[in-house]
């Protein structure tokens, strides 16, 4: 399908995480004549595949190889080291392209908004994840692993990833692509006890069973749950008994094995992970440096599957000098577009972006996490991208009579502004050097952790 004047549909995709690539793939598969530019603020592509997915889960990161095939299609141009909103504005892009698709992800952690959150030692998950994954924006941060115990707030897979990085033997982590400077600090860790705390119960925890189970397999580490946490109330039992609630059932079986590890005299030669339920964080305490966290015990109200958490005045204090909050993410704001404050996404109606008056902005779309929120697995973004492309195709008659200059003019524009953009071939050079450096250290790659070092490489 061509547009009326046989000009290709010019599409700029902003963000090169999986969603950005999947939007490109769906456009290529749609039969439309199209030219696609993928703009990425970092020199390197892949978004959270490179900078979020746990470094000790390297197999998962191999999905980037399927994204390379998309990037290497002649109708696709990758331009890294170009930040939209800084190096080029949205209105400038709109003059060059028919369609902009925002796939900028959600990388900022949500805040709990409680007292003491800015104390030294309290870290939003995104900071720690970015740091141990070598993201250039987080390398100046410092984490103090000299404390005996750490507290992780949140009961999802991000919390488990952090827990594993803190609990895994350093020699195991050395086989991952955690940068050497982070490994050096982690190798000095004195953390022996990790509390993994959630405000709801075991049936409502968002862990996937594979990750939960993996925690119990860590060498020289014991995962325990106090037996009281598995004494279910009537509504929770109903939720567990529901035939379709498979993940809860599978998780519950793993929780039961962790219950059997519970003892009042733990083996101090091993690291201990305690999974705590029904505790809502109330305040971080300490004088500049975090010393403990106060939680209020919670209870449930309401029918099964619609139970809401009600905090009580019954307080519990958990000591610890290091805390990580894993309670959700937010997307970045762009001029002229609005953020859905509840979901942290770019406000959109069925993938079409809307302005502050709630009106659809013609030619602007979104896909991936920043469209629907931080949920699902990498493959979920593929369906999400296809859905977005379906809407673009539906709107095609609005664009067919216009001509757009696309990447040629964009490149001239970037050159005129002296912006050193990175092509996909340039990225492949960086990639090869990282892999080579890694091989010398017996790991999959040694990442460059600054933009300047990546650029110097090409
Ligand atoms: C800690 C963690 C672990 C995870 N582990 C797994 C896992 O094991 N398995 C799994 O299936 N999923 C996992 N996920 C989920 C998976 O990473 C996401 O589903 C996926 O990355 C979302 O893709 P996205 O393209 O929407 O966003 P992202 O991957 O975040 O990509 C967004 C891209 O946009 C770029 N960008 C942002 N702003 C701009 C701008 N202004 N201009 C240009 N570019 C910009 C960013 O640099 C980034 O490259 C994990 C997520 C996290 C946070």
């Amino acid at each position: 399908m061509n547009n009326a004047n046989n000009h290709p549909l010019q599409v700029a995709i902003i963000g090169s995480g999986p969603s950005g690539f999947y939007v490109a793939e769906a456009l290529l598969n749609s039969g439309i004549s199209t030219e696609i530019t993928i703009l990425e603020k970092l020199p390197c592509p892949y978004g959270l595949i490179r900078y979020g997915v746990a470094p000790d889960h390297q197999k998962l990161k191999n999905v980037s190889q399927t994204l390379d095939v998309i990037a290497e299609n002649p109708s696709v141009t990758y331009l890294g080291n170009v930040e939209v909103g800084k190096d080029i504005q949205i209105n400038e892009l709109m003059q060059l392209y028919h369609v902009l698709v925002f796939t900028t992800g959600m990388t900022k952690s949500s805040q709990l908004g409680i007292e003491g959150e800015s104390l030294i030692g309290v870290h939003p998950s995104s900071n720690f994840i970015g740091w141990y994954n070598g993201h250039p924006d987080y390398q100046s941060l410092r984490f103090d692993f000299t404390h005996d115990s750490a507290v992780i707030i949140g009961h999802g897979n991000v919390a488990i990833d952090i827990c594993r990085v803190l609990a895994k033997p350093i020699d195991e982590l050395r086989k991952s692509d955690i940068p050497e400077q982070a490994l050096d600090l982690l190798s000095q860790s004195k953390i022996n006890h990790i509390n993994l705390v959630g405000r709801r119960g075991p049936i409502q925890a968002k862990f996937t069973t594979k990750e939960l189970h993996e925690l119990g397999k860590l060498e020289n580490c014991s995962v325990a749950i106090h037996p009281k946490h598995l004494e279910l109330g009537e509504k929770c039992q109903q939720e567990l008994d529901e035939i379709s609630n498979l993940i809860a059932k599978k998780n519950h079986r793993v929780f039961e094995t962790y219950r059997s590890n519970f003892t009042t005299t733990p083996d101090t030669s091993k690291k201990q992970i305690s999974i705590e339920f029904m505790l809502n964080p109330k305040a971080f305490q300490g004088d500049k440096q975090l010393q403990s966290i106060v939680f209020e015990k919670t209870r449930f109200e309401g029918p099964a599957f619609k139970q809401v958490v009600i905090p009580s005045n019954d307080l519990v204090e958990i000591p610890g000098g290091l805390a990580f909050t894993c309670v959700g993410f937010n997307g970045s704001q762009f001029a002229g577009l609005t953020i859905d404050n509840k979901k942290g996404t770019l406000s959109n109606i069925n993938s079409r972006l809307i302005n502050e008056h709630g009106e659809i902005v013609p030619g602007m779309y979104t896909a991936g996490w920043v469209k629907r929120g931080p949920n699902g697995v990498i493959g979920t973004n593929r369906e999400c991208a296809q859905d977005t492309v379906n809407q673009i195709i539906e709107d095609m008659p609005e664009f067919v009579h216009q001509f757009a200059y696309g990447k040629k003019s964009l490149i001239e524009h970037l050159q005129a502004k002296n912006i050193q953009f990175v092509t996909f071939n340039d990225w492949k050079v960086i990639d090869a050097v990282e892999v080579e450096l890694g091989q010398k250290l017996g790991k999959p790659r040694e990442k460059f952790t600054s933009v300047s070092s990546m650029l110097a490489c090409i």
Side-chain angles (χ1 to χ4, degrees), residues 14-19 39-41 47-48 52-53 60 82-84 103-105 129 158 161 329 334 368-369 377-378 381:
I14 301 152
S16 73
S19 311
L39 293 165
E40 167 57 51
K41 75 171 188 175
L48 285 173
V53 169
L60 240 153
V82 181
E83 182 169 350
V84 173
T103 55
T104 43
I129 293 162
V158 170
D161 279 358
F329 296 94
F334 290 92
W369 269 24
V377 291
I378 291 167
N381 299 302

Side-chain angles (χ1 to χ4, degrees), residues 50-111:
R50 180 173 160 99
Y51 290 124
V53 169
D56 59 339
H57 284 175
Q58 282 296 312
K59 268 196 190 148
L60 240 153
K61 293 192 187 244
N62 288 343
V63 70
S64 63
Q65 290 163 13
T66 61
L67 305 184
D68 288 359
V69 177
I70 302 165
E72 281 157 358
N73 185 295
S75 299
V76 177
T77 303
Y78 170 84
L79 296 176
N81 202 32
V82 181
E83 182 169 350
V84 173
K86 185 175 149 227
D87 297 320
I88 183 147
Q89 302 306 319
I90 296 175
N91 55 358
E92 294 176 298
L93 279 176
M94 272 317 272
Q95 286 166 23
L96 305 178
Y97 289 87
H98 293 113
V99 166
L100 305 187
V101 188
F102 287 77
T103 55
T104 43
M106 301 177 96
T107 39
K108 286 193 225 144
S109 286
S110 304
Q111 292 244 305

Side-chain angles (χ1 to χ4, degrees), residues 174 176-180 183 438-439 441-446:
R174 286 194 196 285
S176 75
D177 64 359
I178 296 181
E180 287 299 291
L183 285 171
Q439 271 166 359
L441 296 161
K443 58 204 282 198
R445 70 174 62 236
E446 179 60 16

Side-chain angles (χ1 to χ4, degrees), residues 129-202:
I129 293 162
W131 177 77
Y132 68 62
N133 271 302
H135 191 302
D137 290 354
Y138 302 95
Q139 296 310 304
S140 60
L141 300 175
R142 283 293 156 258
F143 299 90
D144 182 359
F145 305 113
T146 59
H147 302 279
D148 176 62
S149 63
V151 180
I152 303 172
I153 299 172
H155 271 178
N157 282 350
V158 170
I160 291 211
D161 279 358
I162 289 181
C163 193
R164 232 180 28 258
V165 168
L166 294 178
K168 211 168 204 179
I170 193 71
D171 287 341
E172 286 297 310
L173 292 181
R174 286 194 196 285
K175 296 177 197 158
S176 75
D177 64 359
I178 296 181
E180 287 299 291
Q181 63 268 32
L183 285 171
D184 281 349
L185 257 188
L186 285 164
S187 70
Q188 295 158 31
S189 171
K190 301 270 184 294
I191 293 168
N192 276 321
H193 193 171
I194 302 164
N195 282 291
L196 195 52
V197 187
R199 64 193 190 103
R200 300 189 296 168

Side-chain angles (χ1 to χ4, degrees), residues 285-300:
Q285 295 196 134
D287 174 20
K288 289 193 183 154
Q289 163 64 50
L290 176 73
Q291 278 169 355
S292 67
I293 308 170
V294 177
F295 292 88
E296 46 194 357
K297 288 188 182 173
T298 58
R299 63 185 169 80
F300 279 129

